[in-house]
Amino acid sequence: MKKTLLVFICSLMFLGCAQKINYGQSSLKLDLGMTKQEVMSILGTPRRTDVDGERERWYYWNSTQVGLASVDNEMLSSDKISVTFKDGKLTKWGAQNYMDDVIESQKKLLESTMNKPIRVEQTIITKDK
């Protein structure tokens, strides 16, 4: 009975490992300009998505083993990747983080202010005697 239980537990562990995608290795198959469907055929369905205007970002990660427990947390995972699309085409991928979002929003802000005329007003205050 113990032997059967041990074989069952081991086979479950191996089955869980077989379902993981190595995102570091899989990212080597990605090319700029790929469609969303082509990326999904390589990396699978994204775990999380983020859409901001004209860009769409997909996030992938594997759960992490902490002791005997499997923890499904994007921040703790060592095997994670983000892919970014613009107009439905792959534009970049890799370890993107919060600072990438800050730089992107600052760039948009700068571009939007550069295309608008700047209005300068001057007020002169004089002291009457």
Side-chain angles (χ1 to χ4, degrees):
M1 177 67 177
K2 288 183 180 181
K3 193 174 188 177
T4 307
L5 183 61
L6 181 63
V7 170
F8 179 72
I9 291 173
C10 287
S11 60
L12 281 179
M13 287 174 46
F14 288 122
L15 180 64
C17 294
Q19 294 176 351
K20 286 187 178 181
I21 295 175
N22 183 331
Y23 294 119
Q25 287 284 42
S26 298
S27 68
L28 298 174
K29 299 175 187 174
L30 298 176
D31 285 316
L32 292 174
M34 286 182 132
T35 65
K36 293 177 184 179
Q37 189 60 38
E38 291 171 323
V39 171
M40 198 176 286
S41 69
I42 294 170
L43 298 177
T45 304
R47 305 281 302 269
R48 182 170 66 89
T49 60
D50 177 29
V51 180
D52 181 20
E54 71 276 352
R55 76 115 173 104
E56 183 173 351
R57 191 168 290 150
W58 292 358
Y59 298 90
Y60 296 89
W61 68 89
N62 282 321
S63 57
T64 304
Q65 199 71 25
V66 178
L68 297 175
S70 181
V71 179
D72 188 14
N73 185 304
E74 179 183 1
M75 302 309 275
L76 295 177
S77 178
S78 60
D79 186 21
K80 57 186 169 184
I81 187 172
S82 307
V83 294
T84 303
F85 299 93
K86 285 189 182 173
D87 301 321
K89 301 290 183 182
L90 182 63
T91 57
K92 67 178 180 176
W93 65 92
Q96 299 162 354
N97 56 32
Y98 176 71
M99 284 309 296
D100 291 324
D101 293 335
V102 170
I103 291 168
E104 186 177 295
S105 65
Q106 291 297 317
K107 185 178 175 184
K108 280 184 186 179
L109 180 63
L110 182 62
E111 287 173 354
S112 69
T113 57
M114 289 181 73
N115 294 332
K116 294 180 183 175
I118 299 173
R119 182 177 172 181
V120 178
E121 293 184 13
Q122 184 176 13
T123 305
I124 300 173
I125 301 173
T126 60
K127 186 173 182 183
D128 293 333
K129 290 188 181 183

